[in-house]
């Protein structure tokens, strides 16, 4: 028997087991009816419509950049969860846990995958946005989804920014110090910002280094223990939840706006 | 060799680099031969050759291989490639549109295929390639980890994460409240406004340049020049004390750059009127305030009657004024940069009393 016939036979046998049938109700999607059912019966696949415009399936059109961004988000969620087993967001432990991750953990590429994946996601969101712009896909009826996308872009950058602090090395705290210093200059709300010195009651300034926007962001006057905890919670829980919700909206709207765009 | 490197160091200085990339980018978009396969190869060979050459230089190598700078090199090539690819497809379609044919996408946009297998397999393959790249990258290159955090010892230069370095670069030309708060906010607002400002119904759902020249030139100006080029400048060419260093220059922490910056008020009162600066802030800053009011208040109105009349008529009042103001603010960024480079101008409005400096 040829290799191919062997393969076919094994395939057939696997597909007919009770276990397989209990999971994949449809069997091998080799008829149109089964192709439809395969898409509808699977919670992940049913993000997609049953049929897609042929031009929208092509790599040359979407570059799969949005899909790549989503996949990187999933990868980051997974590797991030693994990192959470080891990492403790306190000044005493954070840096040491990084060293342990590097030295002690077998197959220790989780941190690498998480960090490089994060950079890759930032780049792929930009490229996705660029593609959407260049195909004019933000035009009616997709205006709102473009806006959802802009918020996702901001969230992606914030995710990356809050994660940057967690290794608690020199690179981390100084990058966050430089970045968060900007909050100090917020008009009215930052202690060095325009007009904030004018907000005073009986000569007492209300907006000070101990009460301004930067203080609220960092939970202190410097990038210290509170900032680490805040950024950890923002990075691991708060922003991912919002981003995941908005991604659901984003994908929903891609379909409701008539699928991937194409010439009218 | 050194002469060539000196020349490149000089060309890379902010004023010249930004000017060249602005002219280069906008000009290149109209040069059709670049957006063919041959043109792409030439562009790629130039870029890759430039890097190969640069890597022979020890000073360049130090900076290019710093932690976290590797992804930026990747970004450079990826953004470069996709920019070319979008323009390549746009020009293919433009040729078809000029000949009265529909765009390439139209060939199969009316057909539908089953998502299983056509779409699912494309995704699966992308997913596998992406995973392999990421795993190999992670095995080859260790994630950076520097000395433990020490709030008492600031590194020099202290840099924000790389994707914010364009904004950090703007700190040279603007106060933090502008570079760090107002401009980022306006970028977000501006991006969100795009679909509501752009009323051109054509070029929806396919690549094309000739049908949306204005939109594409403006967007690419913002994205490539004001975002990507400034990131590259901030990453590779800004060293200790945020001084400029050419790509082949050693990052000497003792480099001294003389700063003698002036404000509009000083130019107006001291230099032109030859009097002392008025003490009352409103009087002192009136020239600068008027300039700003003119730029954002009167200029849009003037433009609606003259240069941009066509747009005004097409877009309607609200769209036009929101759009033109966003456009002018985007343009104000390079304008302020040039004012610094040419006249050493630091502030147009300089009201220290309220920390309100523009
Ligand atoms: C976390 C970030 C994001 C994810 C995961 C994401 C994901 C996706 C996916 C999977 C698609 C389907 C088509 C494709 O792959 O290109 C899509 C389409 C779209 N995205 Fe995003 N996206 C993100 C950010 C953005 C951003 C930043 C923008 C724009 C500012 C944007 C605007 C759009 C629009 C308008 C469409 C419809 C395109 C069309 O119909 O051709 N998205 N997105």
């Amino acid at each position: 028997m040829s290799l191919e016939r062997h393969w076919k036979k094994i395939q057939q046998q696997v597909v007919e087991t009770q276990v397989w049938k209990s999971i994949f109700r449809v069997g091998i999607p080799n008829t149109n009816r089964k192709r439809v059912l395969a898409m509808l019966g699977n919670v992940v696949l049913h993000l997609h419509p049953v049929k897609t415009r042929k031009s929208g399936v092509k790599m040359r059109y979407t570059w799969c950049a949005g899909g790549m961004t989503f996949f990187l988000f999933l990868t980051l969620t997974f590797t991030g969860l693994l990192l959470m087993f080891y990492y403790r967001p306190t000044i005493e432990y954070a840096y040491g846990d990084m060293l342990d991750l590097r030295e002690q953990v077998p197959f220790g590429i989780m941190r690498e995958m998480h960090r490089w994946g994060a950079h890759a996601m930032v780049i792929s969101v930009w490229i996705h946005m660029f593609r959407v712009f260049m195909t004019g896909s933000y035009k009616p009826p997709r205006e709102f989804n473009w806006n959802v996308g802009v918020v996702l872009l901001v969230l992606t950058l914030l995710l990356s920014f809050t994660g940057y602090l967690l290794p608690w090395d020199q690179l981390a705290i100084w990058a966050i110090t430089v970045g968060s210093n900007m909050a100090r200059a917020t008009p009215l709300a930052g202690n060095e910002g325009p007009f904030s010195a004018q907000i005073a009651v009986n000569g007492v300034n209300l907006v000070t280094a101990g009460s301004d926007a930067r203080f609220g962001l960092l939970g202190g006057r410097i990038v210290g223990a509170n900032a680490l905890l805040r950024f950890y919670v923002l990075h691991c829980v708060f922003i991912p939840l919002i981003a995941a919700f908005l991604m659901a909206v984003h994908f929903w709207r891609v379909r409701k706006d008539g699928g991937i765009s194409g010439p009218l | 060799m050194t002469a060539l490197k000196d020349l490149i160091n000089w060309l890379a200085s902010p004023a010249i680099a930004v000017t060249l990339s602005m002219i280069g980018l906008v000009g290149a978009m109209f040069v059709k031969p670049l957006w063919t396969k041959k043109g792409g190869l030439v562009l790629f060979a130039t870029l890759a050759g430039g890097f190969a050459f640069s890597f022979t230089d020890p000073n360049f190598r130090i900076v290019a291989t710093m932690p976290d700078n590797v992804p930026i090199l990747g970004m450079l090539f990826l953004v470069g490639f996709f920019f070319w690819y979008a323009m390549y497809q746009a020009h293919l379609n433009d040729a078809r549109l000029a000949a009265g044919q529909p765009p390439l996408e139209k060939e199969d946009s009316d057909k539908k295929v089953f998502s299983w297998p056509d779409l699912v397999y494309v995704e699966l393959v992308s997913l596998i390639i992406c995973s392999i790249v990421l795993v190999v990258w992670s095995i080859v290159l260790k994630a950076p980890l520097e000395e433990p955090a020490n709030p008492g010892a600031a590194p020099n230069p202290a840099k924000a994460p790389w994707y914010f370095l364009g904004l950090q670069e703007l700190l040279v030309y603007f106060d933090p409240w502008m570079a760090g708060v107002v401009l980022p906010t306006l970028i977000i607002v501006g991006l969100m406004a795009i679909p509501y400002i752009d009323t051109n119904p054509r070029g929806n759902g396919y690549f094309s340049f000739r049908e949306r020249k204005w939109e594409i030139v403006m967007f690419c100006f913002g994205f490539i020049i004001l975002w990507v080029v400034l990131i590259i400048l901030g990453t590779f060419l800004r060293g200790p004390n945020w001084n400029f260093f050419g790509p082949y220059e050693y990052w000497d922490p003792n480099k001294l750059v003389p700063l003698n910056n002036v404000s509009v008020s000083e130019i107006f009162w001291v230099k032109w009127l030859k009097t002392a600066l008025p003490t009352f802030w409103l009087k002192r800053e009136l020239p600068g305030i008027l300039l700003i009011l003119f730029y954002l208040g009167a200029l849009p109105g003037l433009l609606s009657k003259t240069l941009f009349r066509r747009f005004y008529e097409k877009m309607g009042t609200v769209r036009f004024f929101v759009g033109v103001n966003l456009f002018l603010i985007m343009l104000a960024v390079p304008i302020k940069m040039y004012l610094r480079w040419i006249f050493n101008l630091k502030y147009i409005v300089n009201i220290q009393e309220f920390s309100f400096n523009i």
Side-chain angles (χ1 to χ4, degrees):
Chain A
M1 259 199 293
S2 73
L3 212 59
E4 201 191 331
R5 292 226 334 259
H6 267 296
W7 171 243
K8 278 263 154 63
K9 203 169 152 215
I10 295 172
Q11 211 181 7
Q12 198 64 36
Q13 277 165 355
V14 172
V15 171
E16 274 165 17
T17 57
Q18 189 185 354
V19 176
W20 181 277
K21 279 186 179 163
S22 72
I23 306 173
F24 303 102
R25 294 270 182 229
V26 198
I28 297 174
N30 49 7
T31 65
N32 284 353
R33 194 185 119 78
K34 285 185 184 172
R35 284 180 191 126
V36 172
L37 292 175
M39 295 304 289
L40 291 179
N42 183 306
V43 67
V44 179
L45 292 183
H46 103 290
L47 276 175
H48 296 306
V50 167
K51 280 179 142 195
T52 316
R53 199 178 274 139
K54 193 168 172 199
S55 57
V57 173
K58 299 209 161 149
M59 278 298 262
R60 54 170 303 228
Y61 187 69
T62 64
W63 310 340
C64 205
M68 213 63 107
T69 312
F70 182 53
F71 175 61
L72 284 166
F73 179 76
L74 294 180
T75 313
L76 289 168
T77 309
F78 181 68
T79 52
L81 275 172
L82 292 181
L83 289 172
M84 286 171 81
F85 287 140
Y86 298 92
Y87 176 83
R88 289 162 290 177
T90 62
I91 303 188
E92 292 81 37
Y93 296 128
Y95 185 77
D97 291 342
M98 285 291 129
L99 291 177
D100 283 354
L101 271 167
R102 170 183 275 187
E103 313 289 343
Q104 314 290 346
V105 182
F107 303 110
I109 61 165
M110 280 310 133
R111 199 181 148 226
E112 276 68 26
M113 289 196 46
H114 198 72
R115 192 175 186 102
W116 302 140
H119 290 323
M121 181 172 168
V122 169
I123 297 169
S124 77
V125 183
W126 294 356
I127 289 175
H128 172 57
M129 178 179 73
F130 180 63
R131 187 292 284 180
V132 171
F133 184 87
M134 291 302 278
T135 54
S137 303
Y138 57 86
K139 299 189 179 199
R142 295 181 180 79
E143 309 100 305
F144 179 70
N145 215 15
W146 167 270
N147 278 283
V148 176
V150 174
V151 179
L152 280 170
L153 169 78
V154 175
L155 289 178
T156 307
L157 292 177
L158 286 181
L159 267 175
S160 194
F161 183 69
T162 48
Y164 218 85
L165 181 63
L166 304 185
W168 204 247
D169 62 348
Q170 281 287 72
L171 195 61
I173 69 159
W174 289 103
I176 303 307
T177 303
V178 170
S180 61
N181 275 349
M182 297 299 120
R184 198 183 265 162
T186 315
L188 301 175
N191 85 89
E192 288 172 10
F195 305 117
S196 56
Q198 276 66 44
I199 305 181
V201 176
N202 296 334
V204 180
N205 273 343
L206 294 187
V207 184
T208 65
S211 68
D212 67 349
R214 182 170 185 272
F215 188 90
L217 179 70
L218 298 180
R221 286 161 203 260
I222 56 160
V223 179
N226 285 346
L228 183 56
L229 186 59
R230 269 180 204 206
F231 275 45
Y232 177 77
V233 174
L234 286 173
H235 182 75
C236 300
V237 187
F238 196 61
I239 308 178
L241 278 180
I242 302 177
F245 170 71
L246 284 178
M247 279 180 208
V249 175
H250 196 58
F251 301 157
W252 177 255
R253 284 302 291 245
V254 170
R255 290 188 57 179
K256 293 297 139 182
D257 294 340
I260 304 289
S261 56
L264 303 168
Chain B
M1 198 60 136
T2 38
L4 177 65
K5 283 187 179 173
D6 284 346
L7 177 71
I8 296 180
N9 280 338
W10 180 74
L11 287 177
S13 62
I16 300 169
V18 169
T19 310
L20 287 181
S21 45
M22 277 187 332
I23 299 173
L25 178 91
V26 177
M29 291 174 87
F30 293 89
V31 180
K32 279 191 188 153
L34 280 177
W35 314 115
T36 57
K37 286 194 175 142
K38 230 188 242 158
L41 273 179
V42 172
L43 285 179
F44 176 77
T46 317
L47 196 61
F51 266 104
F53 169 75
S54 299
F55 258 91
T56 60
D57 184 275
N59 289 323
F60 182 87
R61 255 201 323 267
I62 296 176
V63 178
T65 52
M66 271 183 190
D68 276 357
N69 281 4
V70 179
I72 313 175
L73 288 182
M75 175 202 63
L76 198 64
F77 276 90
L78 282 172
V79 169
F81 170 75
F82 281 111
F83 182 64
W84 170 82
Y85 193 44
M87 290 301 284
Y88 165 73
Q89 297 200 56
H91 278 95
L92 281 186
N93 275 341
D94 286 353
R96 292 172 61 99
L97 292 164
Q101 290 170 302
L104 259 177
E105 287 86 352
K106 185 80 187 164
E107 301 245 295
D108 39 34
S109 68
D110 297 329
K111 291 178 217 141
K112 289 217 164 180
V113 292
F114 281 102
S115 300
W116 185 294
D118 288 55
L119 178 56
V120 179
Y121 273 61
V122 172
E123 288 176 343
L124 186 70
V125 171
S126 308
L127 196 149
I128 292 172
I129 294 175
C130 179
S131 311
I132 293 175
V133 169
L134 194 57
V135 169
V136 171
W137 184 5
S138 302
I139 292 173
V140 173
L141 206 63
K142 280 273 147 238
L145 189 66
E146 299 193 343
E147 302 287 299
N150 178 357
N156 188 9
K159 291 192 176 183
W162 63 271
Y163 35 83
F164 289 148
L165 284 188
L167 297 174
Q168 199 176 351
E169 173 66 17
L170 289 184
L171 281 175
V172 177
Y173 312 96
F174 292 93
D175 267 16
W177 74 279
M178 285 294 287
V181 184
V182 173
L183 291 175
T185 310
L186 286 175
I187 294 174
I188 298 169
V189 172
L191 282 174
M192 287 186 145
I194 287 176
Y196 306 100
I197 294 174
D198 175 9
T199 50
N200 176 3
R202 292 190 299 170
N204 182 350
Y206 52 92
F207 291 97
S208 165
F209 182 57
R210 74 199 283 264
E211 298 199 327
R212 353 183 353 239
K213 278 187 191 137
W214 263 97
E215 300 141 76
I216 291 183
V217 168
M218 251 152 53
F219 185 84
C220 291
F221 182 80
F223 177 51
I224 307 273
I225 305 288
L226 294 183
W227 193 253
V228 175
V229 168
L230 289 190
I231 286 177
I232 291 165
L233 217 133
T235 309
F236 296 112
L237 305 175
R238 289 292 185 179
N241 307 324
W242 208 254
N243 279 331
F244 165 78
F245 291 88
Y248 311 121
E249 207 175 323
Y250 172 68
W251 281 19
D252 177 4
N254 300 318
K255 178 172 177 173
L256 277 180
V257 181
L259 285 177
N260 42 357
N261 292 327
V262 294
S263 300
V264 163
S265 52
E266 283 161 349
I267 296 179
F268 184 81
W269 296 105
V270 181
K271 214 167 154 196
W272 289 356
L273 297 187
K274 307 244 185 293
T275 61
L277 281 177
T279 40
F280 181 48
W281 61 268
L282 187 58
K283 183 172 173 204
R284 185 189 69 219
E285 297 304 327
L286 205 57
I289 294 175
L290 287 179
L291 269 180
I292 303 269
L293 283 181
F294 169 78
Y295 187 73
L296 291 180
L299 193 58
L302 282 179
L303 287 172
S304 74
K305 303 233 156 50
T306 52
L307 207 58
F308 290 170
R309 191 141 139 220
R310 241 184 53 236
F311 292 104
Y312 181 69
E313 278 157 12
K314 255 195 298 197
M315 292 163 72
T317 313
V318 176
R319 276 201 186 88
F320 178 83
F321 283 110
V322 174
V324 162
N325 270 303
L326 285 169
F327 171 72
L328 286 177
I329 291 171
M330 178 166 101
L331 215 59
V333 173
I335 290 179
K336 183 91 196 278
M337 293 165 94
Y338 277 104
L339 289 176
R340 170 65 60 82
W341 293 329
I342 300 173
F343 305 111
N344 282 321
L345 185 85
K346 188 161 168 74
Y347 293 125
I348 296 171
V349 173
N350 180 17
I351 312 178
Q352 296 294 1
E353 290 85 344
F354 304 126
S355 319
F356 185 82
N357 306 312
I358 301 175

